[in-house]
Amino acid sequence: MNRNRFFGYPSEPPLLGQTIEAARKNFSSRLARYSVQTWPQVFRFGEFIDSNILGAIDGSELAYFDISVPNFNVFFEAGYSIGRGKPTVCLINTSLDGSGAYLNELGLFDTIGQGRYENSADLVDILSTDVPPRPILPASYEANFAQPLFLLKTRANFEGMARAIGALTDTFTQFRSFDPTEDQRMALRDIVQQVAESTGILCAVVSREIQDSENHNLRAAFVSGLARGMDRELLLLNMSSKSLPLDVRDYAKSGREPENVQKLVQSFALTSLARLQRAAPQPTALKGPSIQRISLGGTAAENEFRRLSEYFVETPAFRAAIEGEGRIVIGRKGSGKTAIFTEMATQLGKNRKSLILSLKPDGYQLRKFKDNLINFLSEGTKEHTVAAFWEYLLLLEVCHSCITYDEKYLGRDPAISRLLPTLREKYGRDEYIIEGDFSERTVLLLEEINNRYNSKEKKEFIQQLSFQS
């Protein structure tokens, strides 16, 4: 029987390492039949550091990880361990001030049993357990053929992330996502299932100045580890200005050049789709009551739009919206607003004469727009600027959708064959037309307005807006 165990922990603060190494020595002398290896022990001269650590996890019956303080490498290794189906135990040293407090906001390990210790003696008692916990990885899963890719979004949709999302949208590959603006904490059960059902995972490491960067980078580390452990296609973009931690340094790609991002995302999408052609894993029948086999859908309608019609219940609010009696849907998070919107788009889209625009404005960029420009204008100019901005942006999106949707009727429909080339020619003249999605085109337009406002011609620009209003 395999009696090897692995222990991962942060190098800072030194107190953690000192306590853990002391416990390891005492434990080895007490129970010689077990072998506990910490990450400094598995390093070998002339060999790749990440291979040493991941190999040690592969060869272990059980893995421990100290998560007292946030650490990128530890989260990556914990994700890898779970992805490999290893029993995984998270530990917290309660002698440190505020240890583990960050998990309340981050999530992941806040709802699973944790081992808590103050000193090496406490830790030896935890290590002495003879019955490993059950693996967290589900025993059964099926690849999501409708939405095979998974995207880890940032809280702020800054330009780098907007370009990555736009590039992924351009591949016409359906994807699911985790959006921290919708779900503040990441649930361990949900993210393990999302990665398990995916063939490709896309995430990025961002700079410290980006909003919520610490939590996002920890999520990226854990999701990347899960993807490596489950042998999923992984595209990890480095959008920061610094080198990444050792565990992922060789796997990450530069995400700071827009052209490079476009090529990387396209290649990633193609490779991930090719994985769908492989033999799908056969799900293992779940044991226990039949109710365990019932699926109530995902926690976010955005990740369920291909399956939503299977279990969507038409409510009075839905009927009012689809019949044109209601234009605005208001409700708390989780009340079904996105589900109503998605099901309406599905049903109305069955009519060839209907053109559906599924637009999701980015609140972060719009707040910047307001802060940088609107607050400095007169009341009348504010109203004019906002109205003109939205009218111009929506007209661009209608043109973009018409060109994309009607392309397949070119040469078959006389009216479309006559009008589409003219529309395409006029649309192509606009200097804000770029490849990407609605969010990326919105960012470009907002940046142009902000740049003109902050330029030397600021006074002339405001006068122009005021005159036009």
Side-chain angles (χ1 to χ4, degrees), residues 12 40 76 91 98 136 151 197 245 272 309 324 333 422 428 433 443 460:
E12 296 290 339
F76 175 83
L91 304 171
I136 297 175
L151 169 69
E197 293 180 351
S272 299
S309 296
K333 173 178 168 51
T422 303
I433 300 306
V443 168
E460 291 79 0

Side-chain angles (χ1 to χ4, degrees), residues 84-369:
R84 297 299 290 170
K86 300 291 181 180
T88 303
V89 177
C90 293
L91 304 171
I92 290 181
N93 187 326
T94 56
S95 67
L96 299 178
D97 185 32
S99 59
Y102 68 98
L103 295 173
N104 294 328
E105 180 179 354
L106 176 68
L108 287 177
F109 302 117
D110 58 334
T111 57
I112 64 173
Q114 303 161 353
R116 295 179 175 264
Y117 68 98
E118 291 186 347
N119 49 57
S120 60
D122 294 342
L123 188 53
V124 168
D125 291 338
I126 294 175
L127 298 178
S128 299
T129 178
D130 201 41
V131 181
R134 291 178 296 177
I136 297 175
L137 184 67
S140 172
Y141 65 86
E142 294 181 355
N144 189 322
F145 286 86
Q147 296 169 282
L149 305 184
F150 181 79
L151 169 69
L152 179 64
K153 292 184 177 181
T154 51
R155 182 177 296 277
N157 191 27
F158 66 102
E159 184 174 359
M161 179 55 64
R163 290 192 183 279
I165 296 174
L168 187 57
T169 303
D170 283 346
T171 67
F172 297 101
T173 307
Q174 303 298 336
F175 61 90
R176 291 160 289 120
S177 65
F178 173 82
D179 189 345
T181 63
E182 297 288 339
D183 296 293
Q184 182 170 338
R185 62 177 295 276
M186 177 177 278
L188 183 60
R189 282 192 181 93
D190 184 61
I191 193 59
V192 169
Q193 179 181 349
Q194 294 288 359
V195 175
E197 293 180 351
S198 303
T199 58
I201 311 297
L202 172 58
C203 48
V205 177
V206 302
S207 300
R208 287 185 177 182
E209 58 266 21
I210 299 298
Q211 181 186 4
D212 193 44
S213 61
E214 182 176 42
N215 284 335
H216 170 79
N217 288 341
L218 289 175
R219 295 186 199 106
F222 183 77
V223 170
S224 297
L226 276 178
R228 286 294 310 279
M230 296 182 190
D231 191 29
R232 299 300 188 264
E233 188 68 24
L234 171 65
L235 177 56
L236 178 61
L237 295 173
N238 181 10
M239 294 184 177
S240 69
S241 57
K242 297 182 179 180
S243 297
L244 295 184
L246 292 174
D247 279 356
V248 300
R249 191 169 296 176
D250 285 347
Y251 307 109
K253 306 294 182 182
S254 175
R256 293 188 289 273
E257 301 81 18
E259 298 79 9
N260 192 42
V261 170
Q262 188 82 19
K263 294 178 181 178
L264 289 171
V265 172
Q266 289 176 350
S267 176
F268 157 77
L270 287 174
T271 306
S272 299
L273 287 176
R275 285 180 172 241
L276 285 177
Q277 298 176 347
R278 301 179 184 178
Q282 296 299 319
T284 304
L286 293 173
K287 297 179 180 180
S290 298
I291 195 172
Q292 293 183 2
R293 305 178 187 180
I294 298 176
S295 173
L296 299 179
T299 57
E302 294 89 340
N303 295 339
E304 287 284 309
F305 78 95
R306 290 287 183 177
R307 301 173 178 173
L308 185 62
S309 296
E310 297 176 8
Y311 55 82
F312 181 81
V313 177
E314 294 189 0
T315 61
F318 171 79
R319 296 308 313 172
I322 201 168
E323 292 171 5
E325 299 174 0
R327 303 288 184 180
I328 300 175
V329 181
I330 301 175
R332 294 182 177 180
K333 173 178 168 51
S335 59
K337 301 184 299 297
T338 302
I340 290 176
F341 176 83
T342 303
E343 186 63 16
M344 282 184 62
T346 299
Q347 294 194 18
L348 294 175
K350 295 177 182 178
N351 184 351
R352 178 187 162 185
K353 295 182 180 181
S354 297
L355 181 65
I356 310 299
L357 273 70
S358 300
L359 306 180
K360 185 178 181 181
D362 176 50
Y364 173 73
Q365 294 293 343
L366 295 177
R367 283 193 297 273
K368 280 184 26 179
F369 174 57

Side-chain angles (χ1 to χ4, degrees), residues 338-403:
T338 302
I340 290 176
F341 176 83
T342 303
E343 186 63 16
M344 282 184 62
T346 299
Q347 294 194 18
L348 294 175
K350 295 177 182 178
N351 184 351
R352 178 187 162 185
K353 295 182 180 181
S354 297
L355 181 65
I356 310 299
L357 273 70
S358 300
L359 306 180
K360 185 178 181 181
D362 176 50
Y364 173 73
Q365 294 293 343
L366 295 177
R367 283 193 297 273
K368 280 184 26 179
F369 174 57
K370 177 182 177 181
D371 295 340
N372 293 344
L373 178 63
I374 298 300
N375 289 337
F376 298 96
L377 300 177
S378 64
E379 196 64 37
T381 306
K382 286 182 185 180
E383 182 178 350
H384 162 76
T385 303
V386 171
F389 169 78
W390 279 113
E391 182 179 9
Y392 179 59
L393 189 62
L394 291 175
L395 286 174
L396 286 179
E397 291 304 311
V398 170
C399 289
H400 179 271
S401 295
C402 285
I403 292 172

